[in-house]
């Protein structure tokens, strides 16, 4: 783990000068700013167009790797002809939409009902039901973190669900695959094979991605404040990520 302040990464052109590069990009906190609620994000103008241009520039070696479901991503950025992995890597697709690996499991209805009971009340945490899991958000009340984590973890253990921790959120997933698994799956497919992967993310769930790219001689870039991480470099904000990627900022 890197624990000291990380320097900004070399430019993408510098990295590409050493050979073919592949980009794996988280979404929330990386391409868009974190919002008070998961539906309140502001997607930069022309982000979809710019991502497709960037994918073309990299000869298709670009993938979005998000905790959101692919359906949720599409509701914000449309149906893009780029590789994507949703639900923390449980649902991976190539640019043509074909799935890699087994179809993700769905959440048991009993677990969903227990999570709904957990968030009852006007001033408590909120529940986001996803295609392949559920997330309990407590950004509005961070002081109840320990209580929420303990209760959600108990539900997860009861139903054999995977637990993912993030910034003021705990997620329960029926599938145990993670963002690192998504990297490995995509790196075995054309056009990613043989390239040097770069994973960019801001949250603790992105550490699996940082670990995976190292297996291919790649590197991780942390977004946001300094912390203990497997990433090699750091960018301050989504704005700086856009600038580093060479995307137009509006």
């Amino acid at each position: 783990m890197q624990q000291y302040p990380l320097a900004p990464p070399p430019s993408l052109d510098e990295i590409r000068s050493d050979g073919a590069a592949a980009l794996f990009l988280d979404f929330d906190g990386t391409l868009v700013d974190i919002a008070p609620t998961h539906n309140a994000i502001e997607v930069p103008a022309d982000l979809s167009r710019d991502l497709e241009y960037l994918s073309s520039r990299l000869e298709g070696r670009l993938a979005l790797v998000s905790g959101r479901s692919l359906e949720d991503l599409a509701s914000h950025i449309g149906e893009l002809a780029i590789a994507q992995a949703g639900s923390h890597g449980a649902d991976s697709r190539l640019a043509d939409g074909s799935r890699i690996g087994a179809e993700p499991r769905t959440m048991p209805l009993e677990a969903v009902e227990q999570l709904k009971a957990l968030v009852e009340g006007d001033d408590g945490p909120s529940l986001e039901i996803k295609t392949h899991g559920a997330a309990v958000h407590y950004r509005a009340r961070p002081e109840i973190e320990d209580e929420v984590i303990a209760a959600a973890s108990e539900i997860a253990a009861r139903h054999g669900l995977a637990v993912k921790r993030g910034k003021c959120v705990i997620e329960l997933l029926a599938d145990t695959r993670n963002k690192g698994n998504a990297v490995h799956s995509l790196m075995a497919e054309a056009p990613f094979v043989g390239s040097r992967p770069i994973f960019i993310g801001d949250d603790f769930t992105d550490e699996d991605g940082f670990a995976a790219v190292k297996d291919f001689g790649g590197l991780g870039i942390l977004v946001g404040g300094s912390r203990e991480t497997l990433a090699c470099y750091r960018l301050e904000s989504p704005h700086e990520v856009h600038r580093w990627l060479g995307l137009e900022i509006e």
Side-chain angles (χ1 to χ4, degrees):
M1 286 278 189
Q2 306 276 17
Q3 299 184 41
Y4 45 84
L6 299 176
S11 72
L12 181 55
D13 285 339
E14 287 180 76
I15 294 173
R16 294 179 67 202
S17 69
D18 291 332
L23 284 177
F24 295 86
L25 306 176
D26 175 43
F27 188 67
D28 291 84
T30 297
L31 290 175
V32 300
D33 289 317
I34 295 291
T37 66
H38 69 281
N39 283 327
I41 59 170
E42 296 184 6
V43 179
D46 298 323
L47 177 61
S48 299
R49 181 205 65 188
D50 291 343
L51 288 174
E52 289 192 324
Y53 168 77
L54 182 58
S55 178
S56 176
R57 181 183 170 201
L58 294 169
E59 300 176 319
R61 295 184 299 273
L62 172 69
L64 295 182
V65 186
S66 175
R68 292 177 182 262
S69 69
L70 295 183
E71 293 82 1
D72 190 3
L73 271 179
S75 73
H76 293 286
I77 60 175
E79 300 285 350
L80 302 186
I82 62 177
Q84 298 179 51
S87 301
H88 295 286
D91 190 5
S92 297
R93 312 286 182 96
L94 295 172
D96 63 4
S98 57
R99 174 178 281 116
I100 305 174
E103 185 172 351
R105 295 170 52 210
T106 56
M107 283 277 287
L109 291 178
E110 186 180 357
V112 173
E113 292 303 316
Q114 290 168 356
L115 287 171
K116 287 180 179 178
L118 173 62
V119 301
E120 285 181 348
D122 295 333
D123 60 348
S126 63
L127 180 64
E128 176 192 1
I129 302 297
K130 300 188 175 186
T131 307
H132 307 294
V136 181
H137 298 269
Y138 50 92
R139 185 172 297 277
R141 292 193 61 199
E143 71 276 7
I144 64 173
E145 179 176 63
D146 291 344
E147 176 185 342
V148 170
I149 290 173
S153 297
E154 182 180 347
I155 294 171
R158 194 179 306 154
H159 296 280
L161 304 174
V163 174
K164 301 288 184 184
R165 292 275 304 279
K167 296 175 180 177
C168 292
V169 61
I170 180 167
E171 299 191 43
L172 275 59
L173 300 164
D175 200 295
T176 59
R177 284 173 286 185
N178 58 42
K179 292 184 178 184
N181 297 131
V183 170
H184 276 273
S185 295
L186 287 166
M187 287 296 292
E189 302 284 343
F192 294 90
V193 176
S195 62
R196 186 186 185 196
I198 304 161
F199 194 104
I200 308 179
D202 72 304
D203 215 337
F204 299 106
T205 56
D206 296 310
E207 293 296 328
D208 294 316
F210 297 152
V213 294
K214 287 178 178 288
D215 294 336
F216 299 93
L219 55 92
I221 301 174
L222 176 67
V223 183
S226 295
R227 61 170 171 82
E228 188 172 295
T229 180
L230 290 171
C232 303
Y233 300 101
R234 187 177 73 88
L235 292 168
E236 187 66 34
S237 65
H239 180 86
E240 291 302 315
V241 173
H242 282 239
R243 187 180 302 280
W244 187 82
L245 292 173
L247 304 183
E248 294 182 12
I249 305 173
E250 299 183 9

